[in-house]
Amino acid sequence: MTENICIIGSGNWGSTAAKIIGTNVTSYEEFNDKVYMWVHQEPIKDQNLTDIINTKHENVKYLPGVKLPENIIANSNLLECIEDATVIVFVIPPQFLKGVLRQMVGHIRLDAKAISLIKGLDSSFSNIRFFSEIIHELLNIDVSVMSGANVASEVAAENFCETTIGTLVPKNGKLFEKLFSTSYLKVTIVNDIIGVELCGALKHILGIAAGIVDGLNLGGNSKAAVVRIGLMEIIQFAKIFYPEVQKETFYESCGIAEMISLYYAGRNRMLGESFVKTGKPFSQLEHEMLNGQILQGPITIQKVHNYLVHKERIREFPFFDAIYQITYESAPANTIFKNI
């Protein structure tokens, strides 16, 4: 059987994934060489973004300067992209996922499988749900997840890094390893979807926290302490609410490596630093610094805090509570250390 690949999303991480997948499929007979990438259509000067990608083989808006393989076919028609797909790679902003999934219902192959590269949480006040669960529920297909210390620009530049894929189906894990493994991207497969996705979601809180420390002009010791304490609360959160999570997962790239990367880089860290130094709300900073892109850090802080309040467990998570009080209740930034 030939596997047909469709990538849902074309931002910087989606385009980076396209670069890797487009190259790798040509090395295995089981994959169709043509890889479709669904692109939200945007005008760039006098051309559509899809036309630019298909002629210049470059996403000039979200990943400028990086050549994409010529077998990547950009298409703004979602249903045409997924028509014959057996492998669907989700890498879109979380706020758009449900709308895209609803359009896909009834239009995908019964034997399709998916992998989510989306990091974040979907929740109401009383519950937390993972994006892999939502994909599975709406499309009724098997879903794996991928997360790690993977800053898109660095992966696109072919700087060595690792990533973690969580799956419950071993043959799918092997397939996704073929799609993503390169000389500069080492893939590890684990049998722990929730653990991988939990790390990828809650790390956003640590990114904001690391930025708060930088905004206070404190040194590496303080930031290292904050990242360590934050990681311990993530592990505690998993033990209480998701006891099936494997402790070994926290030692993978999706765990400790991604937390270490927050020490140095990431847009959440940058946002947290600017929040402290300027006093501007996150929505304004996102507009000024990120062209209106919505980051998951502030959203995740609020969702996790609301969930812990609902469960009457907030006092057991003083670090998470401190970050919430600073970002949403106007507590002074230096109170990050008060109760931890």
Side-chain angles (χ1 to χ4, degrees), residues 229 232-237 239-241 308-309 311-322 339-340:
I229 292 168
M232 293 307 295
E233 286 205 3
I234 290 175
I235 295 173
Q236 181 184 357
F237 188 93
K239 285 182 178 179
I240 293 173
F241 300 110
L308 291 171
V309 169
K311 293 292 186 180
E312 299 183 348
R313 308 295 291 259
I314 189 63
R315 292 186 178 181
E316 299 172 52
F317 295 86
F319 173 80
F320 288 165
D321 189 38
N339 296 316
I340 61 174

mmCIF file of all heavy atoms in Angstrom, residues 229 232-237 239-241 308-309 311-322 339-340:
data_model
loop_
_atom_site.group_PDB
_atom_site.id
_atom_site.type_symbol
_atom_site.label_atom_id
_atom_site.label_comp_id
_atom_site.label_asym_id
_atom_site.label_seq_id
_atom_site.Cartn_x
_atom_site.Cartn_y
_atom_site.Cartn_z
ATOM 1 N N ILE A 229 11.712 23.930 39.207
ATOM 2 C CA ILE A 229 10.506 23.881 40.037
ATOM 3 C C ILE A 229 9.265 23.700 39.159
ATOM 4 O O ILE A 229 8.357 22.946 39.490
ATOM 5 C CB ILE A 229 10.403 25.163 40.886
ATOM 6 C CG1 ILE A 229 11.533 25.187 41.925
ATOM 7 C CG2 ILE A 229 9.043 25.260 41.573
ATOM 8 C CD1 ILE A 229 11.704 26.530 42.626
ATOM 9 N N MET A 232 8.980 20.124 38.086
ATOM 10 C CA MET A 232 8.495 19.272 39.163
ATOM 11 C C MET A 232 6.984 19.377 39.324
ATOM 12 O O MET A 232 6.302 18.386 39.612
ATOM 13 C CB MET A 232 9.198 19.639 40.471
ATOM 14 C CG MET A 232 10.693 19.327 40.493
ATOM 15 S SD MET A 232 11.072 17.617 40.059
ATOM 16 C CE MET A 232 10.315 16.759 41.442
ATOM 17 N N GLU A 233 6.427 20.585 39.106
ATOM 18 C CA GLU A 233 4.974 20.716 39.199
ATOM 19 C C GLU A 233 4.278 20.061 38.008
ATOM 20 O O GLU A 233 3.172 19.543 38.147
ATOM 21 C CB GLU A 233 4.559 22.185 39.352
ATOM 22 C CG GLU A 233 4.836 22.727 40.736
ATOM 23 C CD GLU A 233 3.948 23.893 41.141
ATOM 24 O OE1 GLU A 233 3.049 24.282 40.358
ATOM 25 O OE2 GLU A 233 4.158 24.423 42.245
ATOM 26 N N ILE A 234 4.920 20.075 36.855
ATOM 27 C CA ILE A 234 4.365 19.353 35.704
ATOM 28 C C ILE A 234 4.303 17.856 36.007
ATOM 29 O O ILE A 234 3.292 17.191 35.736
ATOM 30 C CB ILE A 234 5.204 19.624 34.439
ATOM 31 C CG1 ILE A 234 5.021 21.065 33.970
ATOM 32 C CG2 ILE A 234 4.816 18.649 33.313
ATOM 33 C CD1 ILE A 234 5.897 21.455 32.804
ATOM 34 N N ILE A 235 5.364 17.318 36.579
ATOM 35 C CA ILE A 235 5.391 15.903 36.948
ATOM 36 C C ILE A 235 4.329 15.607 37.998
ATOM 37 O O ILE A 235 3.619 14.589 37.928
ATOM 38 C CB ILE A 235 6.793 15.506 37.452
ATOM 39 C CG1 ILE A 235 7.816 15.623 36.308
ATOM 40 C CG2 ILE A 235 6.787 14.096 38.028
ATOM 41 C CD1 ILE A 235 9.250 15.421 36.733
ATOM 42 N N GLN A 236 4.192 16.492 38.978
ATOM 43 C CA GLN A 236 3.174 16.323 40.018
ATOM 44 C C GLN A 236 1.766 16.360 39.419
ATOM 45 O O GLN A 236 0.895 15.565 39.783
ATOM 46 C CB GLN A 236 3.319 17.428 41.067
ATOM 47 C CG GLN A 236 2.318 17.328 42.211
ATOM 48 C CD GLN A 236 2.443 18.491 43.180
ATOM 49 O OE1 GLN A 236 3.314 19.344 43.040
ATOM 50 N NE2 GLN A 236 1.560 18.538 44.166
ATOM 51 N N PHE A 237 1.555 17.279 38.469
ATOM 52 C CA PHE A 237 0.264 17.381 37.784
ATOM 53 C C PHE A 237 -0.065 16.067 37.093
ATOM 54 O O PHE A 237 -1.199 15.567 37.163
ATOM 55 C CB PHE A 237 0.326 18.530 36.776
ATOM 56 C CG PHE A 237 -0.984 18.871 36.124
ATOM 57 C CD1 PHE A 237 -1.809 19.851 36.652
ATOM 58 C CD2 PHE A 237 -1.389 18.235 34.954
ATOM 59 C CE1 PHE A 237 -3.015 20.177 36.047
ATOM 60 C CE2 PHE A 237 -2.589 18.550 34.346
ATOM 61 C CZ PHE A 237 -3.413 19.532 34.895
ATOM 62 N N LYS A 239 1.118 13.043 37.809
ATOM 63 C CA LYS A 239 0.890 11.972 38.781
ATOM 64 C C LYS A 239 -0.526 12.006 39.344
ATOM 65 O O LYS A 239 -1.156 10.977 39.557
ATOM 66 C CB LYS A 239 1.909 12.092 39.923
ATOM 67 C CG LYS A 239 3.317 11.648 39.573
ATOM 68 C CD LYS A 239 4.230 11.771 40.775
ATOM 69 C CE LYS A 239 5.634 11.275 40.452
ATOM 70 N NZ LYS A 239 6.553 11.412 41.622
ATOM 71 N N ILE A 240 -1.031 13.221 39.590
ATOM 72 C CA ILE A 240 -2.348 13.358 40.205
ATOM 73 C C ILE A 240 -3.470 13.096 39.210
ATOM 74 O O ILE A 240 -4.413 12.343 39.490
ATOM 75 C CB ILE A 240 -2.503 14.765 40.822
ATOM 76 C CG1 ILE A 240 -1.560 14.925 42.009
ATOM 77 C CG2 ILE A 240 -3.955 15.007 41.270
ATOM 78 C CD1 ILE A 240 -1.527 16.328 42.580
ATOM 79 N N PHE A 241 -3.383 13.712 38.042
ATOM 80 C CA PHE A 241 -4.514 13.685 37.114
ATOM 81 C C PHE A 241 -4.362 12.680 35.977
ATOM 82 O O PHE A 241 -5.356 12.295 35.354
ATOM 83 C CB PHE A 241 -4.731 15.089 36.541
ATOM 84 C CG PHE A 241 -5.038 16.119 37.595
ATOM 85 C CD1 PHE A 241 -4.115 17.105 37.916
ATOM 86 C CD2 PHE A 241 -6.240 16.086 38.283
ATOM 87 C CE1 PHE A 241 -4.381 18.051 38.888
ATOM 88 C CE2 PHE A 241 -6.527 17.034 39.263
ATOM 89 C CZ PHE A 241 -5.598 18.014 39.569
ATOM 90 N N LEU A 308 -7.325 23.652 38.107
ATOM 91 C CA LEU A 308 -6.894 23.344 39.465
ATOM 92 C C LEU A 308 -7.829 23.953 40.501
ATOM 93 O O LEU A 308 -8.071 23.360 41.555
ATOM 94 C CB LEU A 308 -5.463 23.835 39.683
ATOM 95 C CG LEU A 308 -4.386 23.076 38.906
ATOM 96 C CD1 LEU A 308 -3.038 23.777 39.028
ATOM 97 C CD2 LEU A 308 -4.282 21.639 39.393
ATOM 98 N N VAL A 309 -8.352 25.124 40.222
ATOM 99 C CA VAL A 309 -9.346 25.726 41.119
ATOM 100 C C VAL A 309 -10.600 24.860 41.177
ATOM 101 O O VAL A 309 -11.145 24.590 42.253
ATOM 102 C CB VAL A 309 -9.686 27.164 40.664
ATOM 103 C CG1 VAL A 309 -10.908 27.680 41.418
ATOM 104 C CG2 VAL A 309 -8.497 28.094 40.889
ATOM 105 N N LYS A 311 -10.850 21.726 40.642
ATOM 106 C CA LYS A 311 -10.538 20.470 41.328
ATOM 107 C C LYS A 311 -10.162 20.692 42.794
ATOM 108 O O LYS A 311 -9.886 19.725 43.520
ATOM 109 C CB LYS A 311 -9.380 19.764 40.612
ATOM 110 C CG LYS A 311 -9.720 19.271 39.212
ATOM 111 C CD LYS A 311 -10.717 18.134 39.247
ATOM 112 C CE LYS A 311 -10.942 17.542 37.873
ATOM 113 N NZ LYS A 311 -11.920 16.421 37.906
ATOM 114 N N GLU A 312 -10.125 21.961 43.224
ATOM 115 C CA GLU A 312 -9.741 22.331 44.588
ATOM 116 C C GLU A 312 -8.347 21.811 44.940
ATOM 117 O O GLU A 312 -8.091 21.343 46.043
ATOM 118 C CB GLU A 312 -10.786 21.810 45.593
ATOM 119 C CG GLU A 312 -12.176 22.392 45.372
ATOM 120 C CD GLU A 312 -13.204 21.932 46.400
ATOM 121 O OE1 GLU A 312 -12.895 20.981 47.164
ATOM 122 O OE2 GLU A 312 -14.304 22.518 46.444
ATOM 123 N N ARG A 313 -7.412 21.960 43.973
ATOM 124 C CA ARG A 313 -6.029 21.491 44.172
ATOM 125 C C ARG A 313 -5.014 22.609 43.950
ATOM 126 O O ARG A 313 -3.817 22.342 43.900
ATOM 127 C CB ARG A 313 -5.713 20.321 43.218
ATOM 128 C CG ARG A 313 -6.677 19.156 43.219
ATOM 129 C CD ARG A 313 -6.713 18.399 44.527
ATOM 130 N NE ARG A 313 -5.506 17.663 44.803
ATOM 131 C CZ ARG A 313 -5.374 16.326 44.608
ATOM 132 N NH1 ARG A 313 -6.368 15.632 44.105
ATOM 133 N NH2 ARG A 313 -4.259 15.710 44.943
ATOM 134 N N ILE A 314 -5.469 23.850 43.812
ATOM 135 C CA ILE A 314 -4.568 24.921 43.432
ATOM 136 C C ILE A 314 -3.465 25.137 44.466
ATOM 137 O O ILE A 314 -2.337 25.491 44.116
ATOM 138 C CB ILE A 314 -5.350 26.242 43.175
ATOM 139 C CG1 ILE A 314 -4.429 27.304 42.568
ATOM 140 C CG2 ILE A 314 -6.021 26.743 44.441
ATOM 141 C CD1 ILE A 314 -3.863 26.954 41.237
ATOM 142 N N ARG A 315 -3.746 24.912 45.750
ATOM 143 C CA ARG A 315 -2.726 25.137 46.774
ATOM 144 C C ARG A 315 -1.562 24.168 46.658
ATOM 145 O O ARG A 315 -0.484 24.429 47.195
ATOM 146 C CB ARG A 315 -3.365 25.030 48.155
ATOM 147 C CG ARG A 315 -4.346 26.164 48.465
ATOM 148 C CD ARG A 315 -4.829 26.091 49.898
ATOM 149 N NE ARG A 315 -5.735 27.190 50.202
ATOM 150 C CZ ARG A 315 -6.288 27.387 51.390
ATOM 151 N NH1 ARG A 315 -6.024 26.549 52.392
ATOM 152 N NH2 ARG A 315 -7.107 28.411 51.587
ATOM 153 N N GLU A 316 -1.769 23.052 45.965
ATOM 154 C CA GLU A 316 -0.699 22.074 45.787
ATOM 155 C C GLU A 316 0.242 22.464 44.649
ATOM 156 O O GLU A 316 1.249 21.789 44.429
ATOM 157 C CB GLU A 316 -1.299 20.697 45.511
ATOM 158 C CG GLU A 316 -2.180 20.181 46.636
ATOM 159 C CD GLU A 316 -2.915 18.915 46.249
ATOM 160 O OE1 GLU A 316 -2.249 17.966 45.785
ATOM 161 O OE2 GLU A 316 -4.151 18.886 46.388
ATOM 162 N N PHE A 317 -0.094 23.568 43.941
ATOM 163 C CA PHE A 317 0.706 24.003 42.797
ATOM 164 C C PHE A 317 1.049 25.489 42.935
ATOM 165 O O PHE A 317 0.562 26.328 42.166
ATOM 166 C CB PHE A 317 -0.054 23.730 41.500
ATOM 167 C CG PHE A 317 -0.283 22.264 41.228
ATOM 168 C CD1 PHE A 317 -1.382 21.603 41.769
ATOM 169 C CD2 PHE A 317 0.616 21.543 40.464
ATOM 170 C CE1 PHE A 317 -1.592 20.260 41.536
ATOM 171 C CE2 PHE A 317 0.424 20.193 40.234
ATOM 172 C CZ PHE A 317 -0.685 19.543 40.768
ATOM 173 N N PRO A 318 1.895 25.816 43.917
ATOM 174 C CA PRO A 318 2.210 27.237 44.165
ATOM 175 C C PRO A 318 2.922 27.918 43.000
ATOM 176 O O PRO A 318 2.759 29.121 42.791
ATOM 177 C CB PRO A 318 3.104 27.192 45.409
ATOM 178 C CG PRO A 318 3.650 25.796 45.437
ATOM 179 C CD PRO A 318 2.565 24.930 44.876
ATOM 180 N N PHE A 319 3.701 27.164 42.238
ATOM 181 C CA PHE A 319 4.399 27.756 41.084
ATOM 182 C C PHE A 319 3.393 28.160 40.012
ATOM 183 O O PHE A 319 3.401 29.294 39.532
ATOM 184 C CB PHE A 319 5.410 26.759 40.517
ATOM 185 C CG PHE A 319 6.056 27.215 39.237
ATOM 186 C CD1 PHE A 319 7.099 28.127 39.254
ATOM 187 C CD2 PHE A 319 5.618 26.732 38.009
ATOM 188 C CE1 PHE A 319 7.695 28.550 38.066
ATOM 189 C CE2 PHE A 319 6.205 27.147 36.825
ATOM 190 C CZ PHE A 319 7.242 28.056 36.862
ATOM 191 N N PHE A 320 2.502 27.239 39.630
ATOM 192 C CA PHE A 320 1.493 27.568 38.631
ATOM 193 C C PHE A 320 0.634 28.737 39.099
ATOM 194 O O PHE A 320 0.302 29.633 38.313
ATOM 195 C CB PHE A 320 0.588 26.359 38.362
ATOM 196 C CG PHE A 320 1.244 25.238 37.597
ATOM 197 C CD1 PHE A 320 0.658 23.977 37.545
ATOM 198 C CD2 PHE A 320 2.442 25.430 36.920
ATOM 199 C CE1 PHE A 320 1.245 22.935 36.843
ATOM 200 C CE2 PHE A 320 3.042 24.400 36.210
ATOM 201 C CZ PHE A 320 2.448 23.148 36.170
ATOM 202 N N ASP A 321 0.289 28.735 40.380
ATOM 203 C CA ASP A 321 -0.544 29.815 40.913
ATOM 204 C C ASP A 321 0.195 31.148 40.868
ATOM 205 O O ASP A 321 -0.396 32.188 40.537
ATOM 206 C CB ASP A 321 -0.960 29.493 42.348
ATOM 207 C CG ASP A 321 -2.008 30.459 42.873
ATOM 208 O OD1 ASP A 321 -2.905 30.856 42.103
ATOM 209 O OD2 ASP A 321 -1.921 30.836 44.061
ATOM 210 N N ALA A 322 1.488 31.131 41.184
ATOM 211 C CA ALA A 322 2.272 32.372 41.164
ATOM 212 C C ALA A 322 2.323 32.976 39.768
ATOM 213 O O ALA A 322 2.169 34.192 39.599
ATOM 214 C CB ALA A 322 3.690 32.104 41.679
ATOM 215 N N ASN A 339 6.288 31.928 47.142
ATOM 216 C CA ASN A 339 5.793 30.714 47.790
ATOM 217 C C ASN A 339 6.403 29.426 47.246
ATOM 218 O O ASN A 339 5.915 28.342 47.537
ATOM 219 C CB ASN A 339 4.269 30.639 47.659
ATOM 220 C CG ASN A 339 3.579 31.766 48.382
ATOM 221 O OD1 ASN A 339 3.941 32.088 49.514
ATOM 222 N ND2 ASN A 339 2.592 32.374 47.746
ATOM 223 N N ILE A 340 7.454 29.569 46.437
ATOM 224 C CA ILE A 340 8.050 28.342 45.888
ATOM 225 C C ILE A 340 9.423 28.098 46.476
ATOM 226 O O ILE A 340 10.064 27.155 46.203
ATOM 227 C CB ILE A 340 8.143 28.428 44.339
ATOM 228 C CG1 ILE A 340 9.033 29.587 43.895
ATOM 229 C CG2 ILE A 340 6.776 28.531 43.730
ATOM 230 C CD1 ILE A 340 9.268 29.619 42.398
#
